[in-house]
Amino acid sequence: MKYRQLTKEQLLELHVEFSKFLATQQIDAKEWTKIKKENPKMAEEELNIFSDVVWEDVLTKTKYLEHISENDINLFKCNSKEIIRIYIKWNNPAKSFLQTTDFEWFLKNPLDKAIDYFKASKKYSKNRNLELFEMIEMGSQISKGELFSFISQLIR
């Protein structure tokens, strides 16, 4: 398995897609019930293959990731050959990006001296999608890139 198996909740959300996936392998609902009961190893393998297909599709389409914690924000633009990172750090330990009022203050005052910015880029050290997957597993979330674009324009 290249990634990880989708959670039960994710599989429930994708039940229509999973049914189509099974159909491509000539497995209907009745057959799937039988496989789960009589050959759980095969059922597990089908779930693993489906999960990899879904992850591969999602990761290939991912253009931005972000990771927000109390004192810093990591924003990533995920190009095909390299990843661009913007790192934002509070210089004020009393503030937290996880507090709505502090985050809103930050958005209104992005150039305040209490905030530092760093920007860098690097080529992927392994397969792009694997790197993005690892970042997601460590807490990054897929985003539309709005915050990345906003900050990128400020710190050119």
Side-chain angles (χ1 to χ4, degrees):
M1 178 162 214
K2 190 172 180 180
Y3 302 107
R4 73 161 163 75
Q5 194 174 96
L6 297 170
T7 64
K8 228 175 214 168
E9 293 80 14
Q10 291 168 326
L11 286 166
L12 284 172
E13 286 288 320
L14 296 169
H15 72 278
V16 172
E17 290 83 355
F18 185 61
S19 296
K20 290 177 183 174
F21 169 79
L22 290 175
T24 64
Q25 302 189 45
Q26 286 79 42
I27 300 172
D28 60 16
K30 187 177 173 183
E31 180 71 16
W32 178 242
T33 303
K34 183 179 173 186
I35 290 170
K36 287 192 299 184
K37 185 177 181 179
E38 296 175 7
N39 194 345
K41 237 181 182 170
M42 182 181 171
E44 196 70 18
E45 187 56 33
E46 292 296 333
L47 289 170
N48 290 345
I49 293 168
F50 177 71
S51 295
D52 275 351
V53 168
V54 169
W55 276 114
E56 195 65 36
D57 183 52
V58 167
L59 294 166
T60 298
K61 292 176 182 173
T62 297
K63 293 186 178 160
Y64 296 93
L65 291 174
E66 58 187 42
H67 188 273
I68 301 172
S69 60
E70 275 196 61
N71 299 314
D72 46 31
I73 298 176
N74 281 285
L75 304 171
F76 304 96
K77 183 175 182 181
C78 312
N79 295 327
S80 62
K81 303 280 186 219
E82 69 174 5
I83 190 162
I84 300 168
R85 176 186 181 202
I86 296 175
Y87 176 72
I88 307 164
K89 182 176 180 1
W90 278 123
N91 287 324
N92 181 348
K95 297 242 184 218
S96 169
F97 287 117
L98 299 178
Q99 298 297 321
T100 304
T101 53
D102 290 344
F103 192 82
E104 288 172 355
W105 180 90
F106 156 68
L107 292 175
K108 290 177 186 167
N109 303 280
L111 298 176
D112 191 275
K113 291 181 196 298
I115 304 161
D116 282 333
Y117 296 93
F118 305 93
K119 187 174 182 180
S121 63
K122 77 167 191 85
K123 294 194 182 315
Y124 297 105
S125 57
K126 55 181 121 184
N127 175 282
R128 175 193 182 274
N129 288 358
L130 278 175
E131 277 198 48
L132 300 187
F133 178 76
E134 288 173 4
M135 293 168 68
I136 290 168
E137 290 293 283
M138 291 188 294
S140 290
Q141 297 183 344
I142 297 170
S143 77
K144 293 179 181 175
E146 293 161 343
L147 187 55
F148 184 97
S149 297
F150 172 68
I151 299 300
S152 189
Q153 290 175 359
L154 292 176
I155 63 168
R156 290 177 187 217

